[in-house]
């Protein structure tokens, strides 16, 4: 039986497993390898981000959209990201917080894509 996402240990399992899949992925792996210079630092930041989002611990500070603003990302990239995220959650977890993690990722992907397309189409300054 799988457990829900309860604490930082669970967040680390989720984030480490997810990014392990991302790094191997033929579609988005190269994008992440090109954008992330220091994987341990990035993973630590993701632990705090998801701990804040899912567990209400308020350990993250920053602007999650900013690093994505100038990247050449399209719908297909966000779909793959969501597929890998959902697959990782379903592999390790089940429960209310696990479902919330999938829902929040869907909303975040939609918002990021809208903002990126707006920046491209309008040539405007960043919406960070």
């Amino acid at each position: 039986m799988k457990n829900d996402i309860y604490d930082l240990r669970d967040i680390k399992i989720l984030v480490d497993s997810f990014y392990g899949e991302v790094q191997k992925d033929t579609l988005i792996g190269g994008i992440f390898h090109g954008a992330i210079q220091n994987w341990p630092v990035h993973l630590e930041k993701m632990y705090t981000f998801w701990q804040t989002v899912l567990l209400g611990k308020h350990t993250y500070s920053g602007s999650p959209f900013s690093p994505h603003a100038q990247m050449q990302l399209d719908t297909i990239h966000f779909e793959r990201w969501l597929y890998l995220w959902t697959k990782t959650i379903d592999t390790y977890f089940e429960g209310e917080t696990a479902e919330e993690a999938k829902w929040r990722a869907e909303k975040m992907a939609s918002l990021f894509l809208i903002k990126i397309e707006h920046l491209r189409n309008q040539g405007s300054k960043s919406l960070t």
Side-chain angles (χ1 to χ4, degrees):
M1 184 172 146
K2 300 174 200 169
N3 292 318
D4 204 354
I5 300 167
Y6 293 115
D7 55 26
L8 181 58
R9 187 193 75 218
D10 295 329
I11 296 290
K12 287 183 175 183
I13 290 168
L14 172 58
V15 168
D16 290 344
S17 300
F18 169 70
Y19 280 104
E21 292 298 314
V22 164
Q23 290 180 50
K24 297 183 291 188
D25 189 76
T26 57
L27 178 63
I28 63 173
I31 294 169
F32 278 84
H33 283 295
I36 298 170
Q37 305 305 312
N38 187 328
W39 278 97
V41 169
H42 180 71
L43 293 174
E44 285 294 328
K45 186 179 287 188
M46 293 300 95
Y47 301 152
T48 63
F49 176 79
W50 286 107
Q51 186 181 36
T52 297
V53 169
L54 297 175
L55 304 178
K57 297 294 182 182
H58 306 289
T59 56
Y60 175 81
S61 64
S63 175
F65 177 70
S66 296
H68 303 85
Q70 302 306 317
M71 297 175 74
Q72 294 302 307
L73 300 171
D74 294 305
T75 301
I76 192 169
H77 302 112
F78 283 100
E79 288 173 347
R80 181 67 60 89
W81 181 83
L82 281 170
Y83 167 77
L84 293 173
W85 181 252
T86 299
K87 178 180 156 194
T88 303
I89 292 170
D90 289 344
T91 298
Y92 295 97
F93 303 101
E94 66 182 8
E96 186 177 324
T97 306
E99 292 304 312
E100 182 178 347
K102 292 187 270 188
W103 180 83
R104 287 187 179 264
E106 288 174 18
K107 298 304 174 199
M108 191 180 326
S110 295
L111 180 60
F112 279 22
L113 185 58
I114 289 167
K115 289 171 81 170
I116 287 169
E117 288 176 348
H118 175 78
L119 289 173
R120 275 189 208 138
N121 295 335
Q122 302 301 317
S124 63
K125 293 184 180 181
S126 178
L127 296 174
T128 58

